[in-house]
Amino acid sequence: MSRETYAKRSLGEVYDKVHKAKVLMVGAGGIGCELLKNLVLTGFGEVHLVDLDTIDLSNLNRQFLFGHEHIKKSKALVAKETASKFNPNVNLVAYHANIKDPQFTVKWFKSFDIVLNALDNFDARRYVNRMCLTADIPMIDSGTTGYNGQMRVVIKGKTECYECNPIEPPKSFPVCTIRTTPSQPIHCIVWAKSYLFSQLFGIDEDASPDLDNTENKENEDELKNLRLENEELKKVKNAFGTVEFAKLVFEKVFQIDIDRLLTLADAWKHRRAPVPLDFASIKAEADAAGYEDLDKVAALLANDQPVWSLHENFVVFTDSINRLSKRLVDLQNRDLGGSKSILTFDKDDDDTLDFVSAAANLRSIIFGIETKSKFDIKQMSGNIIPAIATTNAIVAGLVVTQAFKVLSNDLTHAKMVYVSQPPSRMLSSGALLPANRDCAVCGVARASIEVDITKLTLGQFIDDVLKEKLSYTDEISVMTSKLLYDVEFDDNLDKTFEQLGIQDGSFITVMDEDEPEDGSTARVNLEFLVLTKEFSSEPAYTLEAISGIPRKPRPEAAESDSDENMVVPASTKRKADEIVETSNGNKKAKTETSGTSETIVLDDEDGTFLID
Amino acid sequence: MQQIIDDVPRSVTPHIVSARDRKYDRQLRLWAANGQAALEEAHVLLLTASAAGAEILKNLVLPGTGSFTVADDKLATEDDVDVNFFLDESSIGQLRGAKVAEFLQELNADSVGRSENLTLSQLDKLDPSYWEQYSLVIAHQIRPSVLLPISKLLWEKKIPLVVSNSIGFYARLRIITPEHSVVESHPDSTVDLRLDCPWPELEEFAYEFKLEELAEMDHAHVPYLVLLLLYLKQWKETHNGESPSTYAEKNEFKALIRSGVQSNDDENFEEAINTVWRATQATTIPSDIQKILNDSRAQNLGVTSSKFWILARAVSDFTKSSASGGLLPLSGSVPDMKADTTSYVTLQSIYRTKARKDRDWVAGRVNELLLSLGRSAAAISGDEVDTFCKFSRNLVVLDYRSLEDEYMPSTANSKKILRELEEENSLMSVYVGFRAVEVFEEREGRYPGTLDYTEDDEVILEAIALEIITSIGGSVVNERTSSVLKEFVRYGGGELHNISSLLGGIGAQEIVKIITRQYVPLANTTIFDGIQSVSAVWEL
Ligand SMILES: [Zn+2]
């Protein structure tokens, strides 16, 4: 028997397609490393990988293409380098870049046969989902957390897309909960990390991502209070770098601010009132315990498992403030004249984690909330998701078997699979569900347009692109997050895209409100992805890609149940039934794998998904 | 300012929270320091440096398994390099085991790797004590005539054996160890409230609340556990001392609680109403736990008894003592609830104190037992008693079946196999396929499908499958099995890398559970079919 590879033997006819396939892999982290190895060893011919991240020590327990010598280097570039050593015959192209960069155009996406998503955050996954829908390229999405994982195939118009089921946005907390009425450890951690830390060492702004700053009547007073406190804190910051600094901060946030809170008598009618902390007496306690000795402080910090006492939190708080101050001063001395130096919170940076842990715990003590160990606070403040090689290996193996199905166009056998715990079973798999008709992402037609936003006006866009090229009538509305134009609102026609706040990567939606007289329905919404580009001459845009814009499905006549009224051809109908049948099995699988009732959003190295 | 800041006293980072902890941070959150320590003490042997075997080992080396040995006697070929990530062109013609061990070692310096030139057919010539250096053995794609004697030996020595196979799109994993006990099974919750049978301190605390005398704010901050205890007491007074048991009674009981609501702030009453089902359930010892406590391994301790059974015996004695009221030691956990801090903290301390008392009783009994067995009282630590008591409602003992029992027709799980084979699309066909391929390889000295002409192999393989099925009381090779057998022939005994990789994930995951004694491992076989992306788990 002439020598042929095992892959060729096992794959049969699919092998050629696999060998010729051009694959885009987005993400070279936990799943990415496994995936790249699998692709290289199952005969894929060309793989492009994109990842913005650099390698961290905590990656090395699973991201096996990286070693200690690679820490702080590009994941994409190192993954390529390591993997190609093992199979020099594969064409690997690596990009140390954000997948949302304008260089990755729809046209570029279109050049691939399949896109494999091994990403760690919602935002990028949503973006790739939209890009694949726009480019009409099949995508396989995957994610893991601890012992659980999942993957599914997404094909435009045929299956659910990544956003067919609404995804809960990451949890945010109302300002008043964080600022005035914390009741859980996480509230105090968010306060320490997103408010206090950034006020002292980071950006001088009210806004920070974990805080919901939407102003309404209810929190108006509290926001006002918050601003007042910020002003005072700025004054305290004048003592920055001095021996007094830690004491002033302590007294400001754990005593003065709490005293002021106590004056809001209404707030404490139904709640336990906070108890301010006294610097001098706690310091006396700490000194009595021998914490003037810095070696003893270091010894305390060498173990992150125990839950610290009040005076231990105090010691860590003052010590970490002094460490961070020193760092910031050094940084500012180095960057003289340049942009303003800041420190940012990083769960893997001990100075910042110590500060957040101690500050959060001190606040918890004030409000009678349970305190936590540094180990636990690291997880809660850094959105750390447990991650191991095994689950990534399982999911990546599944992704490649599904890629074979997609490349051989065998969609009836394509699946979504959940990895869970035995004893009942290892994997639960279900057939792919049909797209949600009302999905705002895949239920729309898509186009991408390269635009010189400083030149193209909304009027030109409507006349040239929408009316001229795409045959829209006057009965349309054009919107971003706000309305830009409709028949009764034409104020913006002379404004350029830039003046309308449209940027690179913005989406513009065109809604057709024209119901033609021939009885057909209006067209589905059309969503433009805007990519900015300089044009030296008119027209200041190029329509890069556009899919067909189908008409909306006719609302089903509820009273008719006879077959004659069905618009769907018989064959399509049977297909639809089949999908419905199998979808039940999947739903069942979904419920059985679910563990907790609360919806939690997870976000870390190896993927993000919802547990419901 | 530079001058001033330099004078401010501060400690010097990094502190000693080790680079090792940092590297393993993401997994420590799954199995904690004790799990990691168990992993770091383990020495794992891999028999044959195949692709799937190397993938399993990779996933054990990365998280820091203490040491590993790769045993193999073959020279690496081009085929090996094609599917095994841990071999490259330069490995061709060299000892496969040595090269794989070398590449795996590069993944993690904390893990100490070596290789041995062992010939499979010579394994029975080894001194039986050879195996004792290993904490677990992985055997990939090894013919039954070699595997069965090893499995018997390891069984006697209580060394876990994990058997794997991977051919084309199919994979199989089997765990063999006489007994595997788990204390830290990681249940969703360890909450055990005992509202149906409160102990005196809990009653005393709860009955001191006079709901009608409380101000609005205090009323809204009575812990719901206290509410339930108060209303249960009230209910029992008018119901001959019985708790609500029927559906109607429970609804009536909910209405009773609801009647006490005074303001919109009384979320604690809502919490109480939502927990009525739990509060009215009788606290008992779950039957699977009772079975463990009654097990002869607990009741007839000997000098070689494991810690688990000594602890189980102590807990069993506890449940029979007057100290327990016939129940397991209390876990001591209290769920989150709306409550004023003082009440909540007091409540927590009442549960903890009781848990501590139960645990102390068990610890005392453990000491007596150790003493009577002539063992040091230090043999079981206080932490181990704590953990055992805390998870006593969630203990797991898996008594695996031996490989011999699976393979001998007289002891095989025949009914299960035959019944499964009749199910549509059952993966049992793949199991039979693996068994048939093993016999084929043993008889022919090669895998089916490795010659140019494959039709004869299909016939032979089907005949072997029929032999196996007939030996356990069946009579036909059905259509589904027949087509699976043809697939096996088509694969020609070759591994497909992504399937081996997936098997590497599943295999290592189960091995980590066994080594760390955390989470519940597979019992005892799983089959994966990569054509359909489905798996099945059976006890065979
Ligand atoms: Zn959708």
Side-chain angles (χ1 to χ4, degrees), chain A residues 231-296:
Chain A
E231 290 307 310
E232 288 178 7
L233 198 60
K234 272 180 197 154
K235 277 179 210 147
V236 170
K237 282 175 79 176
N238 290 336
F240 181 71
T242 66
V243 187
E244 289 291 286
F245 184 58
K247 176 172 186 266
L248 290 172
V249 173
F250 186 99
E251 287 176 342
K252 159 84 179 95
V253 298
F254 298 130
Q255 195 171 2
I256 301 171
D257 287 352
I258 304 301
D259 282 335
R260 175 172 314 105
L261 274 185
L262 285 169
T263 63
L264 300 171
D266 269 3
W268 316 116
K269 225 162 79 187
H270 298 290
R271 286 191 188 87
R272 179 189 173 277
V275 181
L277 298 178
D278 176 49
F279 183 91
S281 64
I282 304 171
K283 181 167 192 313
E285 220 177 287
D287 291 350
Y291 280 114
E292 273 173 314
D293 177 2
L294 291 177
D295 289 342
K296 189 154 185 218

Side-chain angles (χ1 to χ4, degrees), chain A residues 161 163-164 439 442:
Chain A
C161 82
E163 292 185 77
C164 267
C439 176
C442 68

Side-chain angles (χ1 to χ4, degrees), chain A residues 1 3 34 37 61 86 240 269-270 272 319 322-323 326 333 351 375 379 390 402 405 415, chain B residues 1-2 6 8 11 13 27 29 55 58 82 85 217 221 341 452 497 501 509 531-533:
Chain A
M1 184 172 183
R3 185 181 175 277
E34 298 286 340
K37 166 177 67 71
N61 77 326
F86 287 88
F240 181 71
K269 225 162 79 187
H270 298 290
R272 179 189 173 277
D319 184 55
N322 291 338
R323 278 184 268 143
K326 166 72 175 157
N333 287 341
D351 295 336
F375 183 80
Q379 177 151 350
T390 52
Q402 293 304 311
K405 306 277 180 214
K415 290 273 167 62
Chain B
M1 198 168 285
Q2 177 75 63
D6 283 339
V8 177
S11 68
T13 38
Q27 69 201 42
R29 290 170 198 283
E55 290 294 316
K58 154 188 153 272
D82 278 346
F85 190 76
M217 174 195 165
H221 283 81
T341 315
D452 279 339
H497 182 80
S501 175
Q509 189 145 306
I531 301 169
Q532 306 179 75
S533 284

Side-chain angles (χ1 to χ4, degrees), chain A residues 129 133 159-165 435-436 439-443:
Chain A
N129 181 44
L133 291 168
T159 72
E160 275 186 328
C161 82
Y162 182 64
E163 292 185 77
C164 267
N165 291 307
N436 172 2
C439 176
V441 178
C442 68

